[in-house]
């Protein structure tokens, strides 16, 4: 993940909110039911906008628009290089509005403006540009088959794709989904998270401004059991891409099976972050702190299980505690703020419940564990030591600023302990012994392994999980596969 090093010179003003309706077939529409829902600024708990609450009727309209564009419109038949050009234009427009989009992200999600402006939005731009470059490079191959035949393959767009994204990186998750879908010639119906729909809606406006044809991108805000379920069940949708909780993915998978939809899932994690005694301690301590507390701990790949070798455990914990105590919590529009609020009341309550679980199970609360301030969903950076592998805070995804520190001494057993989870999204290892690092990385059952770093993302590098952390991959060339069908063509040559 790009780190937020450049800071705005002064407190950033709140942005204007322009798009709050459904975007369907190039038109801004109220929900068919007329319903709206509130979107909340989590730092103050105030309503910042009322957003159209789409449901099955709106999903039907959106799928019809996407289907008409795919089956009879110009997008999937457009010269691939022209598709790429329009995607580059979209990236350029996002870059022109980077400050406003960052402020909108901070308003809706609560993340610090420094993170929105210097991490999230630059990664959005880079992702769209990366996949724009792929648009005219998706190709098949010729195959030498037996007999007097000419055989070749084609990569064709899978069709209409339903995309459901979470609230932790709203703009970036939209870009991760849009990029490969647009490059391959698919059309899109997206349901953003109900907590954070505003940047996705603004990006849809920019896509239209860039010249991407109407019906290619459709956005229907709403709730999972209504809009999301209707999208998954719709027979006019060819594929579902979902990022979120594993329990929801299982519901989606069962529903998608009825129409044999292709599915890709990027799900949760309980990622092990393993620090050996021979590590660069300064780098490892700051890396471990970033691995868990970045984005208020609301990262699917957060390094929430910190394994520290016994020889350095006490010093490591003391220095982490100092970083926690010095972490600046507050107004996310203040460029000096390092930690903002959790996204909503439900997440706030869940995290504090897990703090109580940690105490009940016998872990030692070293610092934090309480609400910060009296307004907004702020929680202090929290750390437990004395954590055992079978404790709830070590086994279950918390998705908040709660670190579990586990001590180890036996190098031969640490890989087994690191892998002792149903998840397998990410992991990290810190050591100066690069041979040991590679050997250890080979043992880890995780889709991404970082060595002497954490949360390093690039649009070119595939991301996804082993085990219950997902199906398929996003980003990189690998991310294109789920948005294409492979067609074999065989021609008699006699």
């Amino acid at each position: 993940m790009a780190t937020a090093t450049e800071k705005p010179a002064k407190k950033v003003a709140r942005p204007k909110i322009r798009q709050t309706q459904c975007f369907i077939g190039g038109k801004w529409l109220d929900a068919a039911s007329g319903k709206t829902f509130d979107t909340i600024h989590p730092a103050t708990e105030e309503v910042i906008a009322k957003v159209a609450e789409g449901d099955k009727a709106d999903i039907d309209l959106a799928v019809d628009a996407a289907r008409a564009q795919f089956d009879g419109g110009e997008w999937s038949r457009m010269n691939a290089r022209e598709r790429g050009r329009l995607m580059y234009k979209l990236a350029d427009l996002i870059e022109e509005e980077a400050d406003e989009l960052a402020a909108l992200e901070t308003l809706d999600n609560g993340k610090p403006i420094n993170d929105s402006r210097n991490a999230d939005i630059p990664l959005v731009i880079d992702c769209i540009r990366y996949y724009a470059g792929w648009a005219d490079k998706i190709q098949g191959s010729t195959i030498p088959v037996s007999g007097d035949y000419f055989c070749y393959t084609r990569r064709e767009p899978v069709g209409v794709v339903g995309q459901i994204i979470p609230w932790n990186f709203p703009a970036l998750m939209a870009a991760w989904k849009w990029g490969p879908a647009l490059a391959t010639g698919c059309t899109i119906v997206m349901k953003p998270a109900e907590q954070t729909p505003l940047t996705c809606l603004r990006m849809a406006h920019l896509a239209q401004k860039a010249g991407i044809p109407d019906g290619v991108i459709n956005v229907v805000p709403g709730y999972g059991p209504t809009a999301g379920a209707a999208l998954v069940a719709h027979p006019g949708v060819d594929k579902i891409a979902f990022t979120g909780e594993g329990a929801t993915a299982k519901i989606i998978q069962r529903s998608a099976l009825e129409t044999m939809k292709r599915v890709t899932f990027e799900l949760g994690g309980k990622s092990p972050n393993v620090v050996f005694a021979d590590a660069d301690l300064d780098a490892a301590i700051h890396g471990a702190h970033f691995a868990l507390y970045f984005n208020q701990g609301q990262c699917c790949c957060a390094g929430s299980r910190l394994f520290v070798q016994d020889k350095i455990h006490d010093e490591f914990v003391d220095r982490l505690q100092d970083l926690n105590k010095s972490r600046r919590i507050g107004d996310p529009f203040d460029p000096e703020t390092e930690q903002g609020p959790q996204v909503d009341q439900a997440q706030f309550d869940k995290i504090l419940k897990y703090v109580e679980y940690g105490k009940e199970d016998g872990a030692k609360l070293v610092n934090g564990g309480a609400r910060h301030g009296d307004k907004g969903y702020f929680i202090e950076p929290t750390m437990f030591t004395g954590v055992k592998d079978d404790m709830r805070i070590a086994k279950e995804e918390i998705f908040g600023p709660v670190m579990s520190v586990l001590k180890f001494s036996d190098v031969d057993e640490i890989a087994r302990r690191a892998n002792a989870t149903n998840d397998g999204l990410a992991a990290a290892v810190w050591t100066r012994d690069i041979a040991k690092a590679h050997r250890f990385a080979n043992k880890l059952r995780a889709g991404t392994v970082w060595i002497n770093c954490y949360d390093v993302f690039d649009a070119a590098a595939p991301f996804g999980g082993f085990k219950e952390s997902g199906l398929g991959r996003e980003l990189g060339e690998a991310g294109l596969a789920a948005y294409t069908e492979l067609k074999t063509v065989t021609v008699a040559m006699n």
Side-chain angles (χ1 to χ4, degrees), residues 289 293 319-329 367 381-383 403:
H289 187 264
Y293 297 112
R319 293 177 63 180
L320 270 177
Q321 187 175 1
D322 291 341
L323 286 177
N324 285 358
K325 290 177 179 178
S326 67
R327 190 165 176 81
R328 291 186 291 272
I329 311 171
N367 67 267
T382 299
M383 180 166 57
M403 179 178 286

Side-chain angles (χ1 to χ4, degrees), residues 69-366:
Q69 172 57 243
F70 184 79
D71 290 342
E74 67 267 44
W75 184 249
S76 61
R77 296 166 180 79
M78 184 182 291
N79 179 285
R81 199 159 295 167
E82 176 65 10
R83 276 206 309 272
R85 188 189 69 78
L86 294 176
M87 292 176 67
Y88 279 121
K89 179 61 176 175
L90 171 59
D92 290 345
L93 291 174
I94 293 171
E95 189 167 46
E96 289 174 13
E97 284 200 8
D99 289 340
E100 183 171 358
L101 281 166
L104 197 60
E105 195 82 323
T106 289
L107 182 64
D108 213 13
N109 171 276
K111 65 178 61 193
I113 188 64
N114 200 36
D115 293 348
S116 296
R117 182 61 186 87
N118 297 315
D120 293 46
I121 302 304
L123 287 171
V124 168
I125 297 164
D126 184 62
C127 182
I128 298 296
R129 284 182 177 150
Y130 173 81
Y131 279 110
W134 267 109
D136 63 351
K137 300 172 186 68
I138 300 167
Q139 54 196 359
S141 59
T142 58
I143 304 170
V145 297
S146 300
D148 194 11
Y149 301 97
F150 172 53
C151 184
Y152 63 94
T153 59
R154 292 169 46 87
R155 283 277 179 189
E156 298 183 357
V158 72
V160 175
V161 297
Q163 300 180 326
I164 302 173
I165 59 172
W167 45 257
N168 56 338
F169 294 94
L172 185 57
M173 293 299 97
W176 280 24
K177 297 287 190 289
W178 287 6
L182 295 174
T184 54
C186 295
T187 57
I188 296 165
V189 179
M190 174 166 279
K191 192 203 85 67
E194 61 269 20
Q195 295 91 340
T196 54
L198 298 180
T199 46
C200 180
L201 291 168
R202 184 63 185 170
M203 287 165 61
H205 162 76
L206 295 178
Q208 186 178 47
K209 186 177 178 181
I212 292 175
D214 293 344
V216 173
I217 294 174
N218 305 273
V219 180
V220 180
Y223 294 98
T226 51
L231 182 58
V232 173
H234 200 294
V237 174
D238 300 296
K239 169 194 161 48
I240 293 292
F242 170 76
T243 297
E245 293 185 355
T248 304
K250 292 175 183 178
I251 295 171
I252 290 172
Q253 192 167 34
R254 286 192 290 268
S255 177
L257 185 62
E258 292 298 317
T259 49
M260 293 300 290
K261 287 181 176 66
R262 284 84 177 110
V263 293
T264 50
F265 296 139
E266 195 268 278
L267 307 176
K270 195 67 181 175
S271 301
N273 189 14
V274 179
V275 183
F276 288 100
D278 63 354
D280 178 333
L281 283 192
D282 286 340
I285 288 164
H286 284 88
H289 187 264
F290 179 74
L292 190 280
Y293 297 112
F294 175 67
N295 205 47
Q296 296 65 249
Q298 297 171 154
C299 298
C300 52
C301 57
S304 54
R305 288 189 297 148
L306 177 62
F307 291 91
V308 182
Q309 198 160 12
D310 53 3
K311 297 176 184 177
I312 58 170
H313 176 274
D314 292 350
E315 178 186 354
F316 207 95
V317 167
D318 287 346
R319 293 177 63 180
L320 270 177
Q321 187 175 1
D322 291 341
L323 286 177
N324 285 358
K325 290 177 179 178
S326 67
R327 190 165 176 81
R328 291 186 291 272
I329 311 171
D331 180 3
F333 282 97
D334 184 340
E336 296 301 316
T337 293
E338 295 174 301
Q339 182 170 313
Q342 311 308 131
V343 74
D344 63 7
Q345 183 75 53
Q347 192 63 20
F348 175 87
D349 292 342
K350 173 188 174 184
I351 294 163
L352 291 181
K353 180 178 70 174
Y354 272 97
V355 172
E356 294 306 310
Y357 288 163
K359 296 175 185 177
E360 291 172 10
D361 292 347
K364 179 183 178 182
L365 179 63
V366 175

Side-chain angles (χ1 to χ4, degrees), residues 424-428 446-450 456-457 462-466 473:
L425 188 59
T448 293
V449 179
W450 290 293
V456 177
F457 285 89
F463 184 74
F466 284 25
R473 292 294 181 268

